[in-house]
Every structure is written in C-alpha cells, then in structure tokens.
Amino acid sequence: MALLKVTFDQKKRVKLAQGLWLMNWLSVLAGIVLFSLGLFLKIELRKRSEVMNHSESHFVPNSLISMGLLSCVFNSLAGKICYDALDPAKYAKWKPWLKPYLAVCVLFNVALFLVALCCFLLRGSLESTLAQGLKSGMKYYRDTDTPGRCFMKKTIDMLQIEFKCCGNNGFRDWFEIQWISNRYLDFSSKEVKDRIKSNVDGRYLVDGVPFSCCNPNSPRPCIQYQLTNNSAHYSYDHQTEELNLWVRGCRDALLSYYSSLMNSMGVVTLFVWLFEVTITVGLRYLHTALEGVSSPEEAEGESEGWLLEKSVPETWKAFLESLKKLGKGNQVEAGGADAGQAPEAG
C-alpha cells in the first residue's frame, strides 16, 4: 500500500509544478546565502589564522560553501524539470532521470543536515585550536626581528584591543612568558640579570602585560607593570582593587564570537534544509502523479501521487534485499574472474 497517497487532477498538478518551480528558484537564493555565509566565516577564520593551531576549523565554512554551490546547481535543474513538467513532450526526456535525481536529492538533504549539526557541535574542536594557537602566538610576541614572526606582536595587540581581552585564559598568562624582546633589555643592569637568573629557563619574566591589555574605560591611568607589587603604586591593592585591565581571556572571547557565528549559521542551514526537504517531497509527488498519466490524451484526468510506493517496513526490506543482491553479484563476478585466471596460471 502506498504511503501518504494523494489524488491529483490536472489543475492540481499544474499548481504543484508551478509552486515547486517558484520554490526551487527561492532555494537557489538560499544556496547563495549559504555560500556567502561560508565565505564570510572562512574570511573571519583566516583573519586570525596566526592564533589557530589547526586547519580543522575550516571544515564548517568549506562545507557551507560546497552545500551552497550544490544547492544552486540542484535547484536550478529541479526548476527546469518543474517548468518542463507542464509540457508532456518536454517532460518525456526527464522521465528516466527523475528517480536517480530524487535519490541524489535525498543524499544532499542528509549531507546538509549533517553540516547544520556540525555548526553546533564543533565548539570543542575550536576551543582546543584556539587554546594552542594563542599559546604559540603569545610565545612569539617578542620576536619582532624574526622573519615570519615579526607580525605576531601586532596581531596579538590588535586582537586584545578588538575583543577586549588579555592573555589566553587571563592577564596572568603574560607573567609566565618572556614577552619583551632581548633587544630592549639592558643586560648590564642588575635587575635584568637577577630576573633572568631567577628561573631555570633563563627568561626575563615580569608581572606585567602589554599595553593592549589596558582597559580605556578605567578612570585610573593604566597599570601594566608590577601588577602584584602593592608598594609600587599609590593606593593600590592588586587583590581587592578592580584592575584597569581586560579580565576576560582571549580564548573565551574568540570562542564566544565564533560560536555565536556558527550557531546563527546552523539555524539558517536548518531552515534551508527544511525548505529543501519540502521541495524533495513535492518533487516526489509530482513525479508519481505524472507517472500515473500514461498518455497525453489522459492529461486532463486524475492520477495518484505518493511519497513511497510501499509502506516504510516493506520499503526498508526491499532496500536491504537489493543490497544483498548487489553484494552477491559482486562476489560472483570476483569468483568468475579468479576461475578465468586459474587455467592461465596452469
């Protein structure tokens, strides 16, 4: 028994074809939107590729770009099919290709749904990418004279100013690395020598942060050096007073920014997916309804359209049997090839 059977007369078939034609061209516009969103996200990720450790973060934008292009191609073709469906002579050339085309549309809808899920689920991967990338970027902050790294100081400073953040997890991350270049250190100074000798790695570590960590909204002039030394500043207690630095870490700020972007894109992708599923269902009804019209003379008569020719269990059973037959056919072909090679070997 057919699933979700609907009876169509000529007027309903024409309206269905016209409606699907319009929906397909709207879906082409939706594909352009997906392509644009993926391109925008890719550009945003490339802007800060220096503080990202892996290229895995580009999976989502690349997928959105691919799905957008495929959506434009598939829906343009479907629009042409729906337009030709109004003319029996033109529709005849599409008839043998509709079943394979609908199967491809189903696969496309599955892929689009998975891409929408990835927009919501890749937060963990992005977090680890940012954590490692920011850690490496901060380590190279001082290498302003090293080719290939001389831009890192500007990148980190602009990042901290734009996103109002400081360090990887917080401003104290700067205490653990040497962020001042040796070029600007006076190695004849006793203070510099003592600081370098105070740690096993021989690094010049200070309880200070770069200028880009300063919060301009603070009424007090920025304190960026000797942050833990209360006696170095008048009326200052680093444990109780609110510091005039950005407290939020850059990893959290960037993760929040990119997560909000991908969540919004995931919602848009889900809406596009629902639209595509609706079009695929409509194409299936149009295909089966036109199959019921055996000749142009019967074009004005009624025909039945359905979603599945059999019930869901029967369709699933038939699908499994076809897979088994396909597997057995491959085994027979392989056995025949081996038998043909055996006499030659003898």
Side-chain angles (χ1 to χ4, degrees):
M1 183 179 176
L3 181 67
L4 299 177
K5 187 187 295 185
V6 179
T7 302
F8 292 89
D9 56 20
Q10 186 187 21
K11 190 176 180 180
K12 286 183 179 179
R13 287 194 296 268
V14 170
K15 284 186 176 180
L16 178 61
Q18 290 175 340
L20 287 173
W21 177 85
L22 179 61
M23 290 177 69
N24 274 294
W25 288 111
L26 289 175
S27 197
V28 169
L29 295 178
I32 295 172
V33 170
L34 282 184
F35 178 85
S36 303
L37 289 176
L39 195 61
F40 172 74
L41 182 57
K42 194 172 184 69
I43 292 171
E44 286 296 302
L45 290 170
R46 281 194 177 277
K47 279 183 185 177
R48 298 164 190 98
S49 58
E50 294 88 357
V51 294
M52 291 187 176
N53 196 37
H54 304 292
S55 59
E56 296 172 3
S57 54
H58 289 271
F59 173 77
V60 170
N62 290 341
S63 300
L64 287 173
I65 289 170
S66 302
M67 290 294 107
L69 289 173
L70 289 174
S71 177
C72 291
V73 172
F74 288 154
N75 288 290
S76 299
L77 184 59
K80 174 63 174 171
I81 293 171
C82 293
Y83 181 79
D84 289 346
L86 300 174
D87 186 348
K90 291 182 179 179
Y91 176 73
K93 66 181 180 181
W94 295 108
K95 202 170 183 180
W97 302 100
L98 269 178
K99 275 192 177 180
Y101 176 77
L102 286 169
V104 172
C105 286
V106 170
L107 293 176
F108 172 74
N109 288 330
V110 171
L112 188 60
F113 181 72
L114 292 177
V115 170
L117 287 183
C118 287
C119 291
F120 297 107
L121 300 178
L122 285 183
R123 179 186 171 93
S125 174
L126 184 62
E127 185 174 8
S128 61
T129 296
L130 286 170
Q132 294 298 323
L134 282 167
K135 189 175 180 181
S136 300
M138 290 171 63
K139 187 171 65 175
Y140 300 137
Y141 181 88
R142 62 175 178 163
D143 295 341
T144 52
D145 299 324
T146 306
R149 298 177 186 169
C150 55
F151 58 85
M152 191 57 74
K153 178 183 180 300
K154 180 182 176 182
T155 300
I156 296 292
D157 283 334
M158 294 302 294
L159 179 70
Q160 294 189 144
I161 292 170
E162 181 181 356
F163 286 90
K164 300 178 181 180
C165 59
C166 185
N168 190 346
N169 298 306
F171 69 91
R172 292 183 181 274
D173 293 336
W174 290 106
F175 298 177
E176 301 171 5
I177 62 171
Q178 180 181 338
W179 54 273
I180 301 174
S181 174
N182 289 338
R183 180 182 179 181
Y184 305 107
L185 295 177
D186 181 10
F187 286 93
S188 62
S189 169
K190 184 177 182 301
E191 181 191 354
V192 173
K193 290 180 180 178
D194 290 343
R195 283 193 177 276
I196 291 175
K197 290 177 181 177
S198 65
N199 61 88
V200 293
D201 297 326
R203 295 176 297 170
Y204 182 74
L205 304 180
V206 294
D207 55 343
V209 296
F211 79 96
S212 53
C213 283
C214 294
N215 182 356
N217 298 320
S218 173
R220 181 169 187 159
C222 186
I223 298 175
Q224 62 181 112
Y225 292 103
Q226 296 184 326
L227 291 170
T228 57
N229 186 0
N230 293 334
S231 61
H233 312 284
Y234 175 72
S235 183
Y236 175 77
D237 184 355
H238 76 279
Q239 292 182 339
T240 59
E241 185 175 344
E242 184 178 350
L243 299 176
N244 50 4
L245 304 174
W246 300 120
V247 180
R248 191 182 193 186
C250 288
R251 180 181 63 173
D252 182 54
L254 281 172
L255 185 63
S256 176
Y257 172 70
Y258 284 120
S259 294
S260 64
L261 272 183
M262 289 199 292
N263 287 342
S264 302
M265 292 177 185
V267 171
V268 172
T269 307
L270 279 178
F271 277 115
V272 174
W273 172 75
L274 287 172
F275 201 62
E276 292 285 354
V277 169
T278 305
I279 290 173
T280 304
V281 171
L283 281 173
R284 176 60 175 166
Y285 273 114
L286 182 63
H287 168 230
T288 51
L290 290 174
E291 285 285 324
V293 181
S294 57
S295 63
E297 291 77 15
E298 299 177 5
E300 296 183 3
E302 291 187 346
S303 62
E304 291 183 340
W306 56 81
L307 196 58
L308 292 175
E309 192 173 358
K310 301 176 182 178
S311 63
V312 175
E314 290 175 343
T315 303
W316 179 249
K317 187 177 179 180
F319 175 71
L320 292 178
E321 287 178 357
S322 63
L323 287 181
K324 287 179 182 178
K325 288 179 182 178
L326 184 64
K328 288 179 180 179
N330 290 334
Q331 289 177 2
V332 170
E333 288 178 6
D338 293 341
Q341 290 174 359
E344 292 179 8

